Amino acid sequence: MELNKPEQDLKRDLQGIASDLKWSAVELKRIAERLRQSGHEADAQAVLKMCTVLHTGEDRLAGYADEVRTQHISRSKPY
């Protein structure tokens, strides 16, 4: 079954935001490396923790986009 226009828009938005999160995490990793090289290890570690959160969000949104694509959305608890 084909997606209707709102479903296509939702899928595209979810994929776009997931991509933005991925790009942000990549850039933050570069910043963390510069922080580490300049002797700011604690700050570098804090930025890397942010990257982990962004990657988790990216994966979650990509999963939601897949659910929209397959038209099989189910939740056992509200988010």
Side-chain angles (χ1 to χ4, degrees), residues 5-54:
K5 177 74 168 131
E7 291 168 337
Q8 291 172 356
D9 291 344
L10 175 60
K11 180 179 165 255
R12 184 184 60 245
D13 288 346
L14 289 169
Q15 289 173 327
I17 294 167
S19 177
D20 292 344
L21 290 175
K22 183 176 186 170
W23 172 81
S24 297
V26 168
E27 291 301 313
L28 284 172
K29 282 184 180 183
R30 291 180 195 189
I31 292 169
E33 185 56 35
R34 282 187 249 137
L35 285 168
R36 182 175 281 142
Q37 290 173 355
S38 65
H40 297 91
E41 184 63 32
D43 291 333
Q45 289 301 315
V47 170
L48 290 173
K49 285 182 185 179
M50 291 170 59
C51 291
T52 300
V53 170
L54 292 175

